[in-house]
Amino acid sequence: VLMSLFKSSVFTMQAEYFLNSGIFIRKHSELRQYLSREEAYILDIASNLYVINDSNFDFLSRTIIDWASNLIK
């Protein structure tokens, strides 16, 4: 479930960038250059560059919750 949230967050980043710029960027590798450090980290997780396991589950859960809450504010 957590990985699904990370993957969905990338779609949200694409939509937010499109809303702000009027340009839709399809490729994640191209989108990355326009993201904050935190968003790029989330993109990396969604791209399976990190493995979610028991040792980092809480940290990664907090990462996605914090990102989403900042987006809503």
Side-chain angles (χ1 to χ4, degrees):
V1 172
L2 186 56
M3 182 54 83
S4 295
L5 292 174
F6 276 96
K7 290 183 186 260
S8 296
S9 68
V10 175
F11 174 77
T12 302
M13 290 177 213
Q14 287 174 305
E16 181 185 28
Y17 185 78
F18 176 73
L19 177 68
N20 293 329
S21 70
I23 300 168
F24 183 75
I25 299 177
R26 185 173 309 277
K27 291 186 177 185
H28 296 173
S29 58
E30 293 175 18
L31 178 65
R32 194 176 202 290
Q33 66 183 318
Y34 301 105
L35 301 176
S36 69
R37 183 184 303 176
E38 179 184 37
E39 290 171 328
Y41 181 62
I42 290 170
L43 175 67
D44 290 346
I45 295 165
S47 300
N48 295 317
L49 298 180
Y50 293 89
V51 175
I52 297 175
N53 55 42
D54 290 342
S55 67
N56 62 12
F57 183 85
D58 289 340
F59 174 76
L60 294 176
S61 295
R62 176 54 48 198
T63 298
I64 198 72
I65 290 169
D66 290 346
W67 172 79
S69 66
N70 286 331
L71 187 64
I72 294 168
K73 289 180 183 178

Coordinates of all heavy atoms in Angstrom, one line a residue:
V1 N 0.8 -1.2 0.0 CA 0.0 0.0 0.0 C 0.9 1.3 0.0 O 0.6 2.2 -0.7 CB -1.0 0.0 1.2 CG1 -1.7 1.3 1.3 CG2 -1.9 -1.2 1.1
L2 N 1.9 1.3 0.8 CA 2.8 2.4 0.9 C 3.4 2.8 -0.5 O 3.4 3.9 -0.9 CB 3.9 2.2 1.9 CG 4.7 3.4 2.2 CD1 3.9 4.7 2.7 CD2 5.7 3.1 3.3
M3 N 3.9 1.7 -1.2 CA 4.4 2.0 -2.5 C 3.4 2.6 -3.5 O 3.7 3.5 -4.3 CB 5.0 0.7 -3.1 CG 5.7 0.9 -4.5 SD 7.0 2.1 -4.5 CE 8.4 1.2 -3.9
S4 N 2.2 2.2 -3.4 CA 1.1 2.7 -4.2 C 0.9 4.2 -3.9 O 0.7 5.0 -4.8 CB -0.2 2.0 -3.9 OG -0.1 0.7 -4.3
L5 N 1.1 4.6 -2.7 CA 1.0 6.0 -2.3 C 2.1 6.8 -2.9 O 1.9 8.0 -3.4 CB 1.0 6.2 -0.8 CG -0.2 5.7 -0.1 CD1 0.0 5.8 1.5 CD2 -1.5 6.5 -0.5
F6 N 3.3 6.3 -2.9 CA 4.5 6.9 -3.5 C 4.3 7.1 -5.0 O 4.5 8.1 -5.6 CB 5.8 6.2 -3.2 CG 6.4 6.6 -1.9 CD1 6.1 5.8 -0.8 CD2 7.1 7.7 -1.8 CE1 6.6 6.2 0.5 CE2 7.7 8.1 -0.5 CZ 7.4 7.3 0.6
K7 N 3.8 6.0 -5.7 CA 3.5 6.1 -7.1 C 2.4 7.1 -7.5 O 2.6 7.9 -8.4 CB 3.2 4.7 -7.7 CG 4.4 3.8 -7.6 CD 4.2 2.5 -8.2 CE 5.4 1.6 -8.0 NZ 6.2 1.4 -9.1
S8 N 1.4 7.2 -6.7 CA 0.3 8.1 -6.9 C 0.8 9.6 -6.6 O 0.4 10.5 -7.3 CB -0.8 7.9 -5.9 OG -1.4 6.6 -6.2
S9 N 1.8 9.7 -5.7 CA 2.3 11.1 -5.5 C 3.0 11.6 -6.7 O 3.0 12.9 -6.9 CB 3.2 11.1 -4.2 OG 4.4 10.3 -4.5
V10 N 3.6 10.8 -7.5 CA 4.3 11.3 -8.7 C 3.3 11.8 -9.7 O 3.5 12.9 -10.3 CB 5.2 10.1 -9.3 CG1 5.8 10.6 -10.6 CG2 6.3 9.7 -8.3
F11 N 2.2 11.2 -9.8 CA 1.1 11.7 -10.7 C 0.7 13.1 -10.2 O 0.5 14.0 -10.9 CB -0.1 10.8 -10.7 CG -1.2 11.4 -11.5 CD1 -1.2 11.4 -12.9 CD2 -2.3 11.9 -10.8 CE1 -2.3 12.0 -13.6 CE2 -3.4 12.4 -11.5 CZ -3.3 12.5 -12.9
T12 N 0.6 13.2 -8.9 CA 0.2 14.5 -8.3 C 1.2 15.6 -8.6 O 0.9 16.7 -8.9 CB 0.0 14.3 -6.7 OG1 -1.0 13.3 -6.5 CG2 -0.4 15.6 -6.1
M13 N 2.5 15.2 -8.5 CA 3.6 16.2 -8.8 C 3.5 16.6 -10.3 O 3.7 17.8 -10.6 CB 4.9 15.5 -8.5 CG 5.2 15.3 -7.1 SD 6.8 14.5 -6.9 CE 6.5 13.6 -5.4
Q14 N 3.2 15.6 -11.2 CA 3.0 16.0 -12.6 C 1.9 16.9 -12.8 O 2.0 17.9 -13.5 CB 2.8 14.7 -13.4 CG 4.0 13.8 -13.6 CD 3.6 12.5 -14.3 OE1 2.8 11.8 -13.9 NE2 4.3 12.3 -15.4
A15 N 0.8 16.7 -12.1 CA -0.4 17.5 -12.2 C -0.1 18.9 -11.6 O -0.5 19.9 -12.2 CB -1.6 16.9 -11.5
E16 N 0.6 19.0 -10.5 CA 0.9 20.3 -9.9 C 1.8 21.1 -10.8 O 1.6 22.3 -11.0 CB 1.5 20.1 -8.5 CG 1.8 21.4 -7.9 CD 2.6 21.2 -6.6 OE1 3.3 20.2 -6.4 OE2 2.4 22.1 -5.7
Y17 N 2.8 20.4 -11.4 CA 3.7 21.1 -12.3 C 2.9 21.6 -13.5 O 3.1 22.8 -14.0 CB 4.8 20.2 -12.7 CG 5.8 21.0 -13.6 CD1 6.8 21.9 -13.0 CD2 5.8 20.9 -15.0 CE1 7.7 22.6 -13.7 CE2 6.7 21.7 -15.7 CZ 7.6 22.5 -15.1 OH 8.5 23.3 -15.8
F18 N 2.0 20.8 -14.1 CA 1.2 21.2 -15.2 C 0.3 22.4 -14.8 O 0.2 23.4 -15.6 CB 0.3 20.1 -15.7 CG -0.6 20.5 -16.8 CD1 -0.1 20.7 -18.1 CD2 -2.0 20.6 -16.6 CE1 -1.0 21.1 -19.1 CE2 -2.8 21.0 -17.6 CZ -2.3 21.2 -18.8
L19 N -0.3 22.4 -13.6 CA -1.1 23.5 -13.2 C -0.3 24.8 -13.1 O -0.8 25.8 -13.5 CB -1.7 23.1 -11.8 CG -2.6 24.2 -11.1 CD1 -3.9 24.4 -11.9 CD2 -2.9 23.8 -9.7
N20 N 0.9 24.7 -12.6 CA 1.7 25.9 -12.4 C 2.4 26.4 -13.7 O 2.7 27.6 -13.8 CB 2.7 25.7 -11.3 CG 2.1 25.5 -9.9 OD1 1.0 26.1 -9.7 ND2 2.7 24.7 -9.1
S21 N 2.7 25.5 -14.6 CA 3.5 25.9 -15.8 C 2.7 25.8 -17.1 O 3.1 26.4 -18.1 CB 4.7 25.0 -15.9 OG 4.4 23.7 -16.2
G22 N 1.7 25.0 -17.1 CA 1.0 24.8 -18.4 C 1.7 23.7 -19.2 O 1.2 23.5 -20.4
I23 N 2.7 23.1 -18.7 CA 3.5 22.1 -19.5 C 3.3 20.8 -18.8 O 3.6 20.7 -17.6 CB 5.0 22.5 -19.6 CG1 5.1 23.8 -20.2 CG2 5.8 21.4 -20.3 CD1 6.5 24.4 -20.1
F24 N 2.9 19.8 -19.5 CA 2.8 18.4 -18.9 C 4.0 17.6 -19.3 O 4.4 17.5 -20.4 CB 1.5 17.7 -19.4 CG 1.4 16.3 -18.8 CD1 1.0 16.2 -17.5 CD2 1.8 15.2 -19.5 CE1 0.8 15.0 -16.9 CE2 1.7 13.9 -18.9 CZ 1.2 13.8 -17.6
I25 N 4.7 17.2 -18.3 CA 5.9 16.4 -18.4 C 5.6 14.9 -18.2 O 5.2 14.6 -17.0 CB 7.0 16.9 -17.5 CG1 7.4 18.3 -17.9 CG2 8.3 16.0 -17.7 CD1 8.4 19.0 -17.0
R26 N 5.7 14.1 -19.2 CA 5.3 12.7 -19.1 C 6.4 11.9 -18.4 O 6.1 11.0 -17.6 CB 5.0 12.2 -20.5 CG 4.5 10.8 -20.5 CD 4.0 10.3 -21.9 NE 3.1 11.2 -22.5 CZ 1.8 11.3 -22.3 NH1 1.3 10.4 -21.5 NH2 1.1 12.1 -23.0
K27 N 7.6 12.1 -18.8 CA 8.7 11.2 -18.3 C 9.2 11.7 -16.9 O 9.4 12.9 -16.7 CB 9.9 11.3 -19.2 CG 9.6 10.6 -20.5 CD 10.9 10.5 -21.4 CE 10.6 9.8 -22.6 NZ 11.8 9.6 -23.4
H28 N 9.2 10.7 -16.0 CA 9.7 11.1 -14.6 C 11.1 11.6 -14.6 O 11.4 12.5 -13.8 CB 9.6 9.8 -13.7 CG 8.2 9.4 -13.6 ND1 7.8 8.2 -12.9 CD2 7.0 9.9 -14.0 CE1 6.5 8.0 -12.9 NE2 6.0 9.0 -13.5
S29 N 11.9 11.1 -15.5 CA 13.3 11.6 -15.5 C 13.4 13.0 -15.9 O 14.3 13.8 -15.4 CB 14.1 10.7 -16.5 OG 13.6 10.8 -17.8
E30 N 12.5 13.5 -16.7 CA 12.4 14.9 -17.1 C 11.8 15.8 -16.0 O 12.2 16.9 -15.8 CB 11.7 15.1 -18.4 CG 12.3 14.5 -19.6 CD 11.5 14.6 -20.9 OE1 10.5 15.4 -20.9 OE2 11.8 13.8 -21.8
L31 N 10.8 15.2 -15.4 CA 10.1 15.9 -14.3 C 11.1 16.2 -13.1 O 11.0 17.3 -12.5 CB 8.9 15.1 -13.8 CG 8.1 15.7 -12.6 CD1 7.4 17.0 -13.0 CD2 7.1 14.7 -12.2
R32 N 12.0 15.3 -12.9 CA 12.8 15.3 -11.7 C 13.6 16.7 -11.5 O 13.7 17.2 -10.4 CB 13.8 14.2 -11.7 CG 14.6 14.0 -10.5 CD 15.5 12.7 -10.6 NE 15.8 12.2 -9.3 CZ 16.6 12.7 -8.4 NH1 17.1 13.9 -8.7 NH2 16.8 12.1 -7.3
Q33 N 14.0 17.3 -12.6 CA 14.7 18.5 -12.6 C 13.9 19.7 -12.1 O 14.5 20.7 -11.6 CB 15.3 18.8 -13.9 CG 14.3 19.2 -15.0 CD 14.9 19.4 -16.3 OE1 16.0 20.1 -16.4 NE2 14.3 18.9 -17.4
Y34 N 12.6 19.6 -12.1 CA 11.7 20.7 -11.6 C 11.2 20.5 -10.2 O 10.4 21.3 -9.7 CB 10.6 20.8 -12.6 CG 11.0 21.1 -14.0 CD1 10.9 20.1 -15.0 CD2 11.5 22.4 -14.3 CE1 11.4 20.4 -16.3 CE2 11.9 22.6 -15.6 CZ 11.9 21.6 -16.6 OH 12.3 21.9 -17.9
L35 N 11.6 19.4 -9.6 CA 11.1 19.0 -8.3 C 12.0 19.5 -7.1 O 13.2 19.7 -7.4 CB 11.0 17.5 -8.1 CG 10.0 16.8 -9.1 CD1 10.1 15.3 -8.9 CD2 8.6 17.4 -9.0
S36 N 11.5 19.7 -6.0 CA 12.3 20.0 -4.8 C 13.0 18.7 -4.4 O 12.8 17.6 -4.9 CB 11.3 20.4 -3.6 OG 10.6 19.3 -3.2
R37 N 14.0 18.9 -3.5 CA 14.8 17.7 -3.1 C 13.8 16.7 -2.5 O 14.0 15.5 -2.7 CB 15.8 18.2 -2.0 CG 16.7 17.0 -1.6 CD 17.6 17.4 -0.5 NE 18.5 18.5 -0.9 CZ 19.4 19.1 -0.1 NH1 19.5 18.7 1.1 NH2 20.1 20.1 -0.5
E38 N 12.9 17.1 -1.7 CA 12.0 16.1 -1.0 C 11.1 15.4 -2.1 O 11.0 14.2 -2.0 CB 11.0 16.9 -0.1 CG 10.0 16.0 0.6 CD 9.0 16.7 1.4 OE1 8.6 17.9 1.1 OE2 8.6 16.2 2.5
E39 N 10.6 16.2 -3.1 CA 9.9 15.5 -4.1 C 10.7 14.6 -5.0 O 10.2 13.5 -5.4 CB 9.2 16.6 -5.0 CG 8.1 17.4 -4.3 CD 7.7 18.6 -5.1 OE1 8.5 19.2 -5.8 OE2 6.5 18.9 -5.0
A40 N 11.9 14.9 -5.3 CA 12.8 14.1 -6.0 C 13.1 12.8 -5.2 O 13.1 11.7 -5.8 CB 14.1 14.8 -6.3
Y41 N 13.2 12.9 -4.0 CA 13.4 11.7 -3.1 C 12.1 10.8 -3.2 O 12.3 9.6 -3.4 CB 13.6 12.1 -1.7 CG 13.8 11.0 -0.7 CD1 14.9 10.1 -0.8 CD2 13.0 10.8 0.4 CE1 15.1 9.1 0.1 CE2 13.1 9.8 1.3 CZ 14.2 8.9 1.1 OH 14.4 7.9 2.0
I42 N 11.0 11.4 -3.2 CA 9.7 10.6 -3.3 C 9.7 10.0 -4.7 O 9.3 8.8 -4.8 CB 8.5 11.5 -3.0 CG1 8.4 11.9 -1.6 CG2 7.2 10.9 -3.5 CD1 7.4 12.9 -1.2
L43 N 10.1 10.7 -5.7 CA 10.1 10.1 -7.1 C 11.1 8.9 -7.1 O 10.7 7.9 -7.7 CB 10.6 11.2 -8.1 CG 10.8 10.8 -9.5 CD1 9.4 10.4 -10.1 CD2 11.4 11.9 -10.3
D44 N 12.2 9.0 -6.5 CA 13.2 7.9 -6.5 C 12.5 6.7 -5.8 O 12.7 5.6 -6.3 CB 14.4 8.3 -5.7 CG 15.3 9.3 -6.5 OD1 15.0 9.5 -7.7 OD2 16.2 9.9 -5.9
I45 N 11.8 6.9 -4.7 CA 11.2 5.8 -4.0 C 10.1 5.2 -4.9 O 10.1 3.9 -5.1 CB 10.6 6.2 -2.7 CG1 11.7 6.7 -1.7 CG2 9.7 5.1 -2.1 CD1 11.2 7.5 -0.5
A46 N 9.3 6.0 -5.6 CA 8.3 5.5 -6.5 C 8.9 4.8 -7.7 O 8.2 3.9 -8.2 CB 7.4 6.7 -6.9
S47 N 10.1 5.1 -8.0 CA 10.7 4.5 -9.2 C 11.5 3.2 -8.8 O 12.3 2.7 -9.5 CB 11.7 5.5 -9.8 OG 11.0 6.6 -10.3
N48 N 11.2 2.8 -7.6 CA 11.8 1.5 -7.0 C 13.3 1.6 -6.9 O 14.0 0.6 -6.9 CB 11.5 0.3 -7.9 CG 10.0 0.0 -7.9 OD1 9.4 0.1 -6.8 ND2 9.4 -0.2 -9.1
L49 N 13.8 2.8 -6.6 CA 15.3 2.9 -6.3 C 15.6 2.6 -4.9 O 16.7 2.5 -4.5 CB 15.8 4.3 -6.7 CG 15.7 4.7 -8.2 CD1 16.2 6.1 -8.4 CD2 16.4 3.7 -9.0
Y50 N 14.5 2.6 -4.1 CA 14.6 2.2 -2.6 C 13.7 1.1 -2.4 O 12.6 1.0 -2.9 CB 14.2 3.4 -1.7 CG 15.2 4.6 -1.8 CD1 15.0 5.6 -2.8 CD2 16.3 4.6 -0.9 CE1 15.9 6.6 -2.8 CE2 17.2 5.7 -1.0 CZ 17.0 6.7 -2.0 OH 17.8 7.7 -2.0
V51 N 14.0 0.2 -1.5 CA 13.2 -0.9 -1.0 C 12.5 -0.5 0.2 O 13.1 0.0 1.2 CB 14.0 -2.2 -0.8 CG1 13.2 -3.3 -0.3 CG2 14.7 -2.6 -2.1
I52 N 11.2 -0.7 0.3 CA 10.4 -0.4 1.5 C 10.4 -1.7 2.3 O 10.0 -2.7 1.8 CB 9.0 0.1 1.2 CG1 9.0 1.4 0.4 CG2 8.2 0.2 2.5 CD1 7.7 1.9 0.0
N53 N 10.9 -1.6 3.6 CA 10.9 -2.8 4.4 C 10.6 -2.4 5.9 O 10.4 -1.2 6.1 CB 12.3 -3.5 4.3 CG 13.5 -2.6 4.6 OD1 13.4 -1.8 5.5 ND2 14.5 -2.7 3.8
D54 N 10.7 -3.3 6.8 CA 10.4 -3.0 8.2 C 11.3 -1.9 8.8 O 10.8 -1.1 9.6 CB 10.4 -4.3 9.0 CG 9.3 -5.2 8.7 OD1 8.3 -4.8 8.1 OD2 9.5 -6.4 9.1
S55 N 12.5 -1.9 8.4 CA 13.4 -0.9 9.0 C 13.2 0.5 8.5 O 13.6 1.4 9.3 CB 14.9 -1.3 8.7 OG 15.2 -1.2 7.3
N56 N 12.6 0.7 7.4 CA 12.4 2.1 6.9 C 10.9 2.5 6.7 O 10.6 3.6 6.3 CB 13.2 2.4 5.7 CG 12.8 1.6 4.5 OD1 11.8 0.9 4.5 ND2 13.6 1.6 3.4
F57 N 10.0 1.6 7.0 CA 8.6 1.8 6.8 C 8.1 3.0 7.5 O 7.4 3.9 6.9 CB 7.8 0.5 7.3 CG 6.3 0.7 7.0 CD1 5.8 0.3 5.7 CD2 5.5 1.1 8.0 CE1 4.5 0.5 5.5 CE2 4.1 1.3 7.7 CZ 3.6 0.9 6.4
D58 N 8.4 3.2 8.8 CA 7.9 4.3 9.6 C 8.5 5.6 9.0 O 7.7 6.6 8.9 CB 8.3 4.2 11.1 CG 7.5 3.1 11.8 OD1 6.4 2.7 11.3 OD2 8.0 2.7 12.8
F59 N 9.8 5.6 8.7 CA 10.4 6.8 8.1 C 9.7 7.2 6.8 O 9.4 8.4 6.5 CB 11.9 6.6 7.9 CG 12.5 7.8 7.2 CD1 12.8 9.0 7.9 CD2 12.9 7.7 5.9 CE1 13.4 10.1 7.2 CE2 13.5 8.7 5.2 CZ 13.7 9.9 5.9
L60 N 9.6 6.2 5.9 CA 9.0 6.5 4.6 C 7.5 6.9 4.7 O 7.0 7.7 3.9 CB 9.2 5.3 3.7 CG 10.6 5.0 3.3 CD1 10.7 3.8 2.4 CD2 11.3 6.2 2.6
S61 N 6.8 6.3 5.7 CA 5.4 6.7 5.9 C 5.3 8.1 6.3 O 4.5 8.9 5.8 CB 4.8 5.8 7.0 OG 4.7 4.5 6.6
R62 N 6.2 8.6 7.2 CA 6.2 9.9 7.7 C 6.6 10.9 6.5 O 6.1 12.0 6.4 CB 7.2 10.1 8.8 CG 7.4 11.5 9.4 CD 6.2 12.3 9.8 NE 5.3 11.6 10.6 CZ 4.0 11.9 10.8 NH1 3.5 13.0 10.2 NH2 3.2 11.3 11.5
T63 N 7.5 10.4 5.7 CA 7.9 11.2 4.5 C 6.8 11.6 3.6 O 6.5 12.7 3.2 CB 9.0 10.5 3.7 OG1 10.2 10.3 4.5 CG2 9.4 11.3 2.5
I64 N 6.0 10.6 3.3 CA 4.8 10.8 2.3 C 3.7 11.6 3.0 O 3.1 12.4 2.4 CB 4.3 9.4 1.7 CG1 3.5 9.7 0.5 CG2 3.6 8.6 2.7 CD1 4.2 10.1 -0.7
I65 N 3.5 11.3 4.3 CA 2.5 12.1 5.1 C 2.9 13.6 5.1 O 2.1 14.5 4.9 CB 2.3 11.5 6.5 CG1 1.6 10.2 6.4 CG2 1.5 12.5 7.4 CD1 1.6 9.4 7.6
D66 N 4.2 13.8 5.4 CA 4.6 15.2 5.5 C 4.5 15.9 4.2 O 4.1 17.1 4.1 CB 6.1 15.3 6.0 CG 6.2 14.9 7.5 OD1 5.2 14.9 8.2 OD2 7.3 14.7 7.9
W67 N 4.9 15.3 3.1 CA 4.8 15.8 1.8 C 3.4 16.2 1.4 O 3.1 17.3 1.0 CB 5.4 14.9 0.7 CG 5.2 15.4 -0.7 CD1 5.9 16.3 -1.3 CD2 4.1 14.9 -1.5 NE1 5.3 16.5 -2.6 CE2 4.2 15.7 -2.7 CE3 3.1 14.0 -1.4 CZ2 3.4 15.5 -3.8 CZ3 2.3 13.8 -2.5 CH2 2.4 14.6 -3.7
A68 N 2.5 15.2 1.7 CA 1.1 15.5 1.3 C 0.5 16.6 2.2 O -0.3 17.4 1.7 CB 0.3 14.2 1.5
S69 N 0.8 16.6 3.5 CA 0.3 17.7 4.3 C 0.8 19.1 3.9 O 0.0 20.0 3.9 CB 0.5 17.4 5.8 OG 1.9 17.5 6.1
N70 N 2.0 19.2 3.5 CA 2.5 20.4 3.0 C 1.9 20.9 1.7 O 1.7 22.0 1.4 CB 4.1 20.4 2.8 CG 4.8 20.4 4.1 OD1 4.4 21.0 5.1 ND2 6.0 19.7 4.1
L71 N 1.5 19.9 0.9 CA 0.8 20.2 -0.4 C -0.6 20.7 -0.1 O -1.0 21.7 -0.8 CB 0.8 18.9 -1.2 CG 0.2 19.0 -2.7 CD1 1.2 19.9 -3.5 CD2 0.1 17.7 -3.3
I72 N -1.2 20.2 0.9 CA -2.6 20.6 1.2 C -2.6 22.0 1.8 O -3.6 22.8 1.6 CB -3.2 19.6 2.1 CG1 -3.4 18.3 1.4 CG2 -4.6 20.1 2.7 CD1 -3.8 17.1 2.3
K73 N -1.6 22.4 2.6 CA -1.6 23.7 3.3 C -1.6 24.8 2.4 O -1.2 25.0 1.3 CB -0.3 23.8 4.2 CG -0.4 22.9 5.4 CD 0.8 23.0 6.2 CE 0.8 22.0 7.4 NZ 2.0 22.1 8.2

